[in-house]
């Protein structure tokens, strides 16, 4: 068994957290709390924040599947490389062997990377390019007050958008960006 200093869970959304807790109890019984990062949009802002926050090589990152890294195979390969280069364990629940033998994680990641490469080797592989983000839009004056009311379910998203004069896509991008800046995409969860 490996020494777990820090357990991190990354989710594409807030749904089905209880299934994660059941698996954590089963495979990592000494762990009593973990850090949860969730993305509400396709921006992967919480994922990027998680990577910036991880500093300990005894950290284990748990995800549902390799598709949580990206649906693009080239990006998956680059993300697996990041975990390998940082010597940080990344376990996908879809691969039971990774859960049962976390001490072999670096080997599992190399095998998974080789599998992804071989699955797509006949396709023309283009060099990896970082995503270039659009310029941030300034938050409207009443943003913080409306955000707090929206978080507390006192107002609807539609009302929030109307008050700020924002389109739906812009609104949700700004929400994700604001959560990233205020740290609300990250929370500590105690296992019960």
């Amino acid at each position: 068994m490996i020494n777990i200093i820090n357990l991190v869970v990354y989710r594409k959304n807030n749904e089905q957290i209880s299934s994660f807790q059941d698996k954590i109890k089963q495979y990592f019984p000494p762990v009593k709390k973990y850090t949860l990062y969730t993305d509400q949009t396709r921006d992967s802002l919480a994922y990027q924040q998680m990577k910036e926050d991880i500093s300990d090589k005894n950290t284990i990152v748990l995800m549902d599947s390799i598709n949580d890294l990206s649906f693009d195979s080239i990006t998956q390969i680059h993300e697996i490389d990041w975990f390998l280069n940082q010597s940080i364990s990344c376990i996908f629940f879809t691969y039971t062997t990774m859960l049962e033998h976390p001490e072999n994680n670096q080997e599992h990641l190399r095998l998974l990377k080789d599998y992804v490469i071989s699955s797509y080797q006949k396709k023309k592989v283009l060099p990896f390019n970082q995503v270039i983000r659009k310029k941030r839009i300034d938050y409207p004056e009443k943003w913080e007050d409306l955000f707090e009311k929206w978080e507390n379910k006192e107002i609807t998203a539609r009302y929030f958008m109307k008050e700020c004069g924002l389109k739906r896509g812009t609104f949700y991008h700004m929400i994700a960006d604001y959560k990233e800046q205020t740290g609300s995409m990250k929370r500590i969860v105690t296992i019960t």
Side-chain angles (χ1 to χ4, degrees):
M1 192 65 176
I2 60 173
N3 183 20
I4 305 169
I5 300 295
N6 187 16
L7 189 67
V8 173
V9 174
Y10 172 70
R11 299 281 296 151
K12 281 290 189 187
N13 56 47
N14 278 325
E15 297 171 11
Q16 301 171 349
I17 298 297
S18 61
S19 66
F20 267 81
Q21 287 198 14
D22 293 341
K23 288 181 181 179
I24 291 168
K25 284 180 193 177
Q26 179 182 355
Y27 291 103
F28 307 101
V31 173
K32 299 301 176 210
K33 61 180 156 181
Y34 59 90
T35 306
L36 173 67
Y37 290 84
T38 56
D39 272 313
Q40 303 301 319
T41 65
R42 291 176 285 176
D43 285 346
S44 299
L45 297 173
Y47 177 76
Q48 296 304 324
Q49 183 64 49
M50 176 199 71
K51 284 174 48 178
E52 290 174 20
D53 290 349
I54 295 173
S55 61
D56 194 322
K57 296 199 183 311
N58 288 326
T59 297
I60 295 179
V61 177
L62 300 174
M63 296 185 205
D64 268 338
S65 76
I66 193 169
N67 290 333
D68 285 347
L69 296 174
S70 174
F71 287 114
D72 174 62
S73 61
I74 302 304
T75 305
Q76 289 173 350
I77 293 164
H78 286 279
E79 292 304 319
I80 291 171
D81 271 341
W82 183 86
F83 284 101
L84 288 169
N85 292 336
Q86 301 298 317
S87 298
I88 294 174
S89 295
C90 180
I91 295 175
F92 301 103
F93 284 143
T94 52
Y95 303 113
T96 309
T97 305
M98 290 180 114
L99 284 166
E100 292 172 348
H101 302 285
E103 66 278 4
N104 298 331
N105 187 259
Q106 295 293 295
E107 182 181 330
H108 292 151
L109 286 175
R110 279 191 281 285
L111 290 169
L112 184 57
K113 177 184 167 187
D114 290 345
Y115 170 76
V116 173
I117 289 170
S118 67
S119 295
Y120 296 98
Q121 70 183 11
K122 292 187 181 189
K123 292 183 178 181
K124 183 177 179 183
V125 178
L126 299 175
F128 178 72
N129 293 320
Q130 288 286 353
V131 175
I132 299 171
R133 298 188 187 273
K134 292 181 180 179
K135 183 182 175 197
R136 288 186 176 172
I137 298 172
D138 292 331
Y139 297 106
E141 280 184 32
K142 45 191 167 178
W143 178 269
E144 289 179 12
D145 183 48
L146 289 169
F147 179 82
E148 186 175 324
K149 288 180 180 178
W150 178 71
E151 282 276 285
N152 294 329
K153 301 192 184 325
E154 296 172 21
I155 62 171
T156 64
R158 183 173 290 187
Y159 179 82
F160 192 170
M161 286 182 254
K162 183 178 177 188
E163 286 296 304
C164 292
L166 298 171
K167 293 182 181 177
R168 180 181 162 94
T170 304
F171 170 74
Y172 283 107
H173 282 289
M174 289 178 75
I175 288 288
D177 190 52
Y178 187 74
K179 284 182 176 184
E180 176 189 22
Q181 290 178 11
T182 60
S184 59
M185 293 186 308
K186 171 186 171 183
R187 62 187 169 117
I188 305 297
V189 178
T190 302
I191 298 174
T192 55

